Amino acid sequence: MIDIHTHILPNVDDGADSLEEAYEMALMALRSGVKALVATPHSNHGIGIPEYEKQRQKQAFLELKQILFQEQVPLKLYRGMEIWASVDITEKIKSGNLLTLNQTPYILIECAFDEEPWWIEAIMEEVQSIGLIPILAHPERYFCVQDDPNILYEWRKKGIQTQMNKGSILGRFGREIERTAEILLKDRLFTCIASDAHHAYIRTTDMKEVQYYVQRHYSFREQDRLFRENPLSIVQGIPIMS
């Protein structure tokens, strides 16, 4: 498995609180079958969480990568960001302050849960206009998608990719989000599933349970598409075929 959405970097956002916790999260991911993950700290929030602080994030990334190397932990680690949608997002991307996933055209974007669907679509199209491929983080948590899951079908037709949180389908965020995730998963409207992990004790990097869920309810082909094939295309920067 490849996990494209994690808050594993220590002391940069509301994720890992220390290098020790980040290391434990890495081991947890590996034990659950994850071979590679993308570190995606929150960026561009402006409230409570630093705007981007690329140097601080880069240093945390290098420290974690170094300890994984020293301890011979065979987990690949890539850089990225979970970027908060804003009207000036394309300008900030062009300035180099906001990172794509592993320096590919794929970029992970989060919107406010109560955002209007037309605004979300407009932001995604702006990002596409500068040659990037937006991945909408956990759309099952957005109120407009819960009200009308068909919205996601229209967005997917426009080339917007989508990432489901593992906790959504497992009921960790409430029944309404679980119900929406079930509908979208059944209709194959997710590009991939990721952990959106924040800690080693809650919202973890362990992907076993959600993998078992998909194994029980869907085909091996669908499991491979969601956990390996599409995430691999994302980190390699190649077109997603399914």
Side-chain angles (χ1 to χ4, degrees):
M1 288 184 282
I2 299 171
D3 188 351
I4 70 156
H5 184 176
T6 70
H7 298 271
I8 194 172
L9 296 187
N11 302 310
V12 297
D13 61 1
D14 58 346
D17 292 323
S18 65
L19 184 58
E20 291 75 18
E21 184 180 26
Y23 178 67
E24 180 57 35
M25 291 169 71
L27 292 181
M28 190 178 294
L30 188 65
R31 292 184 192 120
S32 74
V34 174
K35 304 300 183 185
L37 57 78
V38 187
T40 53
H42 290 292
S43 297
N44 196 39
H45 272 251
I47 301 175
I49 296 171
E51 281 282 316
Y52 8 85
E53 289 201 305
K54 280 201 309 179
Q55 285 307 117
R56 182 180 172 196
Q57 293 179 4
K58 183 178 181 180
Q59 183 62 32
F61 176 85
L62 293 175
E63 288 175 358
L64 179 57
K65 196 163 186 178
Q66 178 65 20
I67 194 171
L68 294 180
F69 175 77
Q70 289 174 350
E71 299 299 322
Q72 299 183 330
V73 178
L75 179 72
K76 291 182 180 178
L77 193 64
Y78 302 109
R79 285 195 74 194
M81 289 177 172
E82 181 183 20
I83 298 166
W84 186 257
S86 64
V87 293
D88 58 352
I89 189 172
T90 54
E91 286 77 9
K92 288 180 177 177
I93 294 169
K94 289 176 183 177
S95 73
N97 285 316
L98 300 177
L99 302 180
T100 63
L101 303 183
N102 194 33
Q103 299 180 306
T104 70
Y106 292 98
I107 189 163
L108 184 66
I109 301 174
E110 175 184 27
C111 299
F113 294 160
D114 61 352
E115 196 57 80
E116 294 292 334
W118 65 265
W119 193 88
I120 295 175
E121 185 172 329
I123 291 294
M124 299 299 115
E125 289 178 346
E126 271 197 51
V127 170
Q128 289 175 315
S129 74
I130 61 171
L132 297 180
I133 305 166
I135 302 174
L136 187 60
H138 43 63
E140 71 279 3
R141 302 181 72 184
Y142 303 151
F143 301 156
C144 63
V145 177
Q146 293 167 20
D147 291 339
D148 181 10
N150 287 324
I151 291 173
L152 218 60
Y153 174 72
E154 298 301 323
W155 291 347
R156 288 300 310 276
K157 284 199 304 183
K158 293 175 181 287
I160 299 167
Q161 304 300 327
T162 56
Q163 169 260 309
M164 186 191 88
N165 275 9
K166 68 164 188 173
S168 296
I169 199 67
L170 300 176
R172 306 287 161 74
F173 303 112
R175 178 55 194 153
E176 187 61 23
I177 293 174
E178 182 182 5
R179 180 194 67 83
T180 305
E182 287 172 351
I183 293 170
L184 300 175
L185 200 54
K186 182 179 178 181
D187 290 343
R188 299 183 83 248
L189 292 176
F190 289 120
T191 304
C192 62
I193 298 175
S195 69
D196 192 5
H198 280 62
H199 293 286
Y201 55 90
I202 189 172
R203 294 183 67 178
T204 72
T205 49
D206 191 327
M207 292 287 281
K208 275 201 296 280
E209 190 176 1
V210 70
Q211 185 186 39
Y212 291 159
Y213 177 94
V214 175
Q215 283 177 348
R216 289 195 307 270
H217 295 89
Y218 298 95
S219 66
F220 174 81
R221 175 71 187 87
E222 186 66 356
Q223 174 189 322
D224 190 61
R225 183 182 77 85
L226 292 167
F227 292 107
R228 189 199 63 83
E229 182 182 300
N230 286 347
L232 182 61
S233 294
I234 289 167
V235 298
Q236 291 183 342
I238 62 178
I240 290 169
M241 304 307 295
S242 61

